[in-house]
């Protein structure tokens, strides 16, 4: 995680440099004695985190942060506790009051690192799949585009599955129901039987252990009933 330090006190800069050198996930890009110097550093290098003092000669650390758009993550390091509320109102990661013990510095840096990792974490595979509103399936000698919103239910037929949509004729494709279930995700679709997946928006009614979609009666398997009830209750 690339970071810069801003402080007009040389000893404070030296201490923070030492702290950063002890933390593997931090990379110090620049040590700056003023906000103006920091602005110059930010023009040369993109950073993830700023450690800044508040009371400085040219303008305050708070005013400096307000000028940044978009704002990197930032942590205030100051001798004055009375700025804390204003600091947190700016969405500071943390507010460290001097003299800063290493364990508090480490805690604040770790919090910033965890936030950065969560932002950069790839979306779950299921979410990535469901972000697209259509799929292609191979049927005979062509790849057919199917809008997910049009899928009413899918029926397993040994090595094949039959996909029922708004179209009059179902689409037959070579696939297992399990692999197709993984392609669809579980937000708008749910497996309700070893042989059936249903599109939740197309359910007309539920009667005991069966679902009605159009004029089709689809059984709810015992092993799937609990998940199905929870889904429709929500």
């Amino acid at each position: 995680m690339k970071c810069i330090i801003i402080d007009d006190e040389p000893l404070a800069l030296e201490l923070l440099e030492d702290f950063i050198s002890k933390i593997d996930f931090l990379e110090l890009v620049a040590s700056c004695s003023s906000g103006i110097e920091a602005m110059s550093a930010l023009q040369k290098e993109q950073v993830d985190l700023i450690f800044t003092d508040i009371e400085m000669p040219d303008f305050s650390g708070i005013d400096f942060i307000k000028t940044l758009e978009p704002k990197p993550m930032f942590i205030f390091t100051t001798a004055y506790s009375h700025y804390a509320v204003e600091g947190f109102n700016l969405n500071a990661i943390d507010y460290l009051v001097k003299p800063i013990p290493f364990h508090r510095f480490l805690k604040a840096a770790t919090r910033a690192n965890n936030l950065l990792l969560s932002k950069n974490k790839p979306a779950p595979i299921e979410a990535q799949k469901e972000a697209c509103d259509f799929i292609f399936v191979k049927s005979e000698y062509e790849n057919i585009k199917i809008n997910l919103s049009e899928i009413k239910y899918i029926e397993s037929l040994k090595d094949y599955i039959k996909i029922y949509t708004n179209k009059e004729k179902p689409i037959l494709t070579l696939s297992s129901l399990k692999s197709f279930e993984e392609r669809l995700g579980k937000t708008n679709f749910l497996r309700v039987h070893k042989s059936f997946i249903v599109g939740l928006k197309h359910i007309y009614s539920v009667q005991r252990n069966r679902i009605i979609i159009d004029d089709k009666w689809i059984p709810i398997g015992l092993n799937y009933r609990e998940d199905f009830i929870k889904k429709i209750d929500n």
Side-chain angles (χ1 to χ4, degrees):
M1 190 162 55
K2 293 184 177 181
C3 61
I4 64 171
I5 308 167
I6 312 168
D7 203 305
D8 61 320
E9 299 176 9
L11 290 178
L13 283 177
E14 187 178 332
L15 176 67
L16 295 181
E17 288 171 1
D18 180 59
F19 282 176
I20 289 170
S21 70
K22 295 176 180 177
I23 301 175
D24 291 340
F25 57 79
L26 290 181
E27 177 188 348
L28 182 60
V29 172
S31 292
C32 307
S33 59
S34 68
I36 294 173
E37 190 178 335
M39 283 183 173
S40 177
L42 290 175
Q43 289 175 354
K44 298 174 184 175
E45 184 89 48
Q46 185 174 353
V47 302
D48 305 301
L49 179 62
I50 297 172
F51 296 94
T52 180
D53 190 12
I54 291 182
E55 292 199 354
M56 294 184 289
D58 46 11
F59 51 88
S60 75
I62 288 176
D63 289 336
F64 169 74
I65 293 297
K66 287 179 178 179
T67 65
L68 301 180
E69 195 61 46
K71 291 178 175 57
M73 293 184 291
F74 56 94
I75 294 171
F76 287 117
T77 58
T78 177
Y80 306 97
S81 59
H82 58 272
Y83 292 110
V85 173
E86 187 175 1
F88 283 117
N89 284 340
L90 287 173
N91 294 321
I93 298 297
D94 210 332
Y95 190 97
L96 304 178
V97 179
K98 299 175 182 177
I100 303 168
F102 177 69
H103 75 273
R104 275 293 289 119
F105 183 87
L106 177 60
K107 182 178 180 180
T110 301
R111 182 181 299 165
N113 190 48
N114 289 340
L115 284 171
L116 183 64
L117 291 174
S118 66
K119 288 178 183 177
N120 294 336
K121 185 177 180 180
I125 292 175
E126 180 178 307
Q128 292 174 7
K129 290 171 183 170
E130 293 176 354
C132 188
D133 59 2
F134 62 87
I135 56 173
F136 280 90
V137 297
K138 188 172 183 179
S139 183
E140 295 182 345
Y141 301 106
E142 59 181 338
N143 284 304
I144 301 175
K145 179 183 176 181
I146 305 176
N147 293 321
L148 295 181
S149 62
E150 295 179 356
I151 298 177
K152 296 181 177 181
Y153 60 94
I154 303 107
E155 182 179 7
S156 175
L157 302 170
K158 292 188 177 179
D159 296 330
Y160 289 82
I161 59 170
K162 190 178 285 188
I163 305 166
Y164 293 82
T165 68
N166 292 339
K167 306 294 190 296
E168 184 176 343
K169 184 180 177 181
I171 298 165
L172 189 67
T173 184
L174 180 63
S175 175
S176 69
L177 198 64
K178 180 175 176 58
S179 64
F180 204 75
E181 179 184 13
E182 291 172 352
R183 289 186 70 186
L184 294 173
K186 295 183 179 179
T187 299
N188 299 312
F189 297 91
L190 196 65
R191 190 165 182 173
V192 296
H193 187 273
K194 64 180 181 179
S195 301
F196 288 96
I197 295 172
V198 299
L200 297 172
K201 66 176 286 186
H202 293 284
I203 294 175
Y204 174 72
S205 68
V206 180
Q207 298 180 7
R208 296 186 178 179
N209 292 323
R210 57 190 182 185
I211 297 163
I212 300 174
I213 297 179
D214 291 342
D215 57 352
K216 177 71 174 180
W217 298 69
I218 299 171
I220 303 172
L222 183 61
N223 294 335
Y224 302 91
R225 181 172 177 78
E226 184 178 351
D227 285 345
F228 176 71
I229 295 300
K230 285 180 181 178
K231 190 76 172 179
I232 62 173
D233 281 348
N234 288 333

